[in-house]
Amino acid sequence: MILLARRIGFYLLAALVAITLDFFIPRLMPGNAVAAALANLHSQFTPATIKALELQYGVGTDQSLWSQYLHYWDNLLHGNWGISTSHYPATVTSVISSGLWWTLGLVGLATLISFTLGTLLGILVAWRRGSALDNLLPAMTFFQAAPYFFIAIMLVAVFATKLGWFPAINAYDQTLVTPGWNWAYISNVLDHAVLPALTIVLASAAGWIVGMRNVMVTTMDEDYVLLAQAKGLPKRRVVNYAARNAILPSVTGFSLAIGFVVSGALLTEIVFSYPGIGYILQQAVLERDYPLLQGVFLIITFTVLTANLIADFAYVLLDPRTRQEA
């Protein structure tokens, strides 16, 4: 379709701009990027390391800016994103991949749960508007207004410190279990993930409930819904028709939420010392690890663009009007 082709072209252009900006980040910063990177290595560097960093940042070479840009693209397409100076001698791709799976597993699943739960509850509250369930809605907005780190600290204080039901930090207990496909390790990981996941669900589910409920109430008063009721269609079937249209704005919001899964849980991962992308990003900023910052920036950008592209496809499938316009 023409509409989707235009959107794909837009996202490709946005990706090109993001990659170009990523190339210029260390080159536009004041000072010598190589010297700043070497300062973090604490005498662990070798002549080969210095040479690699100089080639990466174009310092002390006769390469033109255009040649450096092409070299950057070549490294990027071959998966060579440089060496992390804060995790030396680990590569940027290995550091990011080690944290990416933790973030996707925790934040991705928690975001999916909060969206599903919030959407279904929003439909139910709109259906039963005026009931006791609708009156509880203002209390739910407290969690929407509260920042992530406040909810996280409260959960740690109650369920970890006072009651001792769940651990407060890390992704698993490294002194008790060994990583692997065994129940001891899996159960330990799930135990450590309860409080961070609950933080994300509580902080975001209320927003989905309020948003879906408000759109659903408006949709239920539309002429085609009233006509369906007047024709005697069952209440449940009418609600299903209304919900299909009311959920369209939530699909867009969900795409943005998925796009920011990689970076959105920064405060949550910091509070719980959870080894995800957010925690890695904080460490990279503190250590001035430019290669790792560049890699994380690209991962976040690609995630947001991909999620929005998927949302555009979903929108076309859910709304026939977009297909007619396309």
Side-chain angles (χ1 to χ4, degrees):
M1 294 181 183
I2 298 177
L3 177 63
L4 291 179
R6 290 175 181 173
R7 300 302 293 173
I8 292 175
F10 168 78
Y11 290 129
L12 289 176
L13 179 61
L16 177 62
V17 172
I19 293 173
T20 303
L21 289 175
D22 194 57
F23 166 77
F24 281 107
I25 284 177
R27 289 163 177 80
L28 294 178
M29 298 183 72
N32 189 318
V34 175
L38 293 177
N40 294 330
L41 296 181
H42 307 295
S43 302
Q44 300 179 47
F45 53 87
T46 63
T49 303
I50 299 176
K51 183 65 176 177
L53 289 172
E54 288 178 344
L55 289 174
Q56 182 175 354
Y57 296 124
V59 177
T61 65
D62 296 330
Q63 286 184 318
S64 64
L65 190 62
W66 177 248
S67 297
Q68 295 175 36
Y69 183 65
L70 294 179
H71 180 71
Y72 172 77
W73 266 99
D74 181 66
N75 286 335
L76 184 67
L77 294 176
H78 285 86
N80 180 16
W81 292 13
I83 303 295
S84 171
T85 57
S86 60
H87 296 79
Y88 184 82
T91 62
V92 170
T93 52
S94 65
V95 174
I96 291 178
S97 61
S98 66
L100 185 61
W101 293 113
W102 289 111
T103 295
L104 292 177
L106 171 68
V107 189
L109 185 60
T111 302
L112 182 61
I113 292 174
S114 63
F115 171 75
T116 304
L117 183 64
T119 300
L120 293 177
L121 287 177
I123 295 174
L124 180 61
V125 170
W127 187 10
R128 303 292 187 183
R129 54 179 169 174
S131 64
L133 186 62
D134 198 11
N135 295 331
L136 291 176
L137 193 61
M140 300 178 186
T141 58
F142 166 78
F143 294 105
Q144 181 186 10
Y148 276 69
F149 71 89
F150 174 77
I151 298 177
I153 292 174
M154 292 299 296
L155 291 178
V156 169
V158 175
F159 295 104
T161 304
K162 186 175 181 60
L163 299 177
W165 289 357
F166 303 102
I169 59 173
N170 298 328
Y172 64 94
D173 194 333
Q174 301 179 4
T175 63
L176 294 179
V177 296
T178 302
W181 292 105
N182 56 81
W183 176 244
Y185 172 70
I186 295 175
S187 61
N188 195 261
V189 168
L190 294 176
D191 197 35
H192 281 74
V194 169
L195 292 185
L198 186 59
T199 299
I200 298 171
V201 171
L202 288 177
S204 56
W208 297 117
I209 295 174
V210 174
M212 189 63 189
R213 184 262 181 197
N214 293 339
V215 177
M216 188 68 179
V217 167
T218 303
T219 305
M220 291 289 288
D221 292 332
E222 293 287 344
D223 292 340
Y224 71 91
V225 176
L226 297 178
L227 179 61
Q229 291 176 330
K231 287 185 174 181
L233 286 179
K235 181 73 172 180
R236 185 182 301 274
R237 190 173 178 183
V238 173
V239 170
N240 288 337
Y241 281 133
R244 181 175 178 177
N245 291 313
I247 202 175
L248 292 176
S250 295
V251 171
T252 303
F254 181 64
S255 69
L256 295 176
I258 290 295
F260 286 103
V261 158
V262 175
S263 61
L266 173 62
L267 294 177
T268 302
E269 291 183 354
I270 291 175
V271 171
F272 292 98
S273 297
Y274 205 81
I277 291 296
Y279 186 75
I280 290 176
L281 177 61
Q282 182 212 22
Q283 297 302 312
V285 171
L286 295 177
E287 296 288 340
R288 293 185 300 175
D289 189 342
Y290 297 137
L292 187 55
L293 282 173
Q294 286 180 278
V296 172
F297 173 76
L298 283 180
I299 289 295
I300 293 174
T301 302
F302 291 155
T303 305
V304 172
L305 293 177
T306 303
N308 279 272
L309 180 60
I310 294 174
D312 286 338
F313 277 95
Y315 217 99
V316 170
L317 292 175
L318 292 173
D319 192 349
R321 293 170 297 180
T322 59
R323 294 195 292 271
Q324 293 173 359
E325 293 172 1

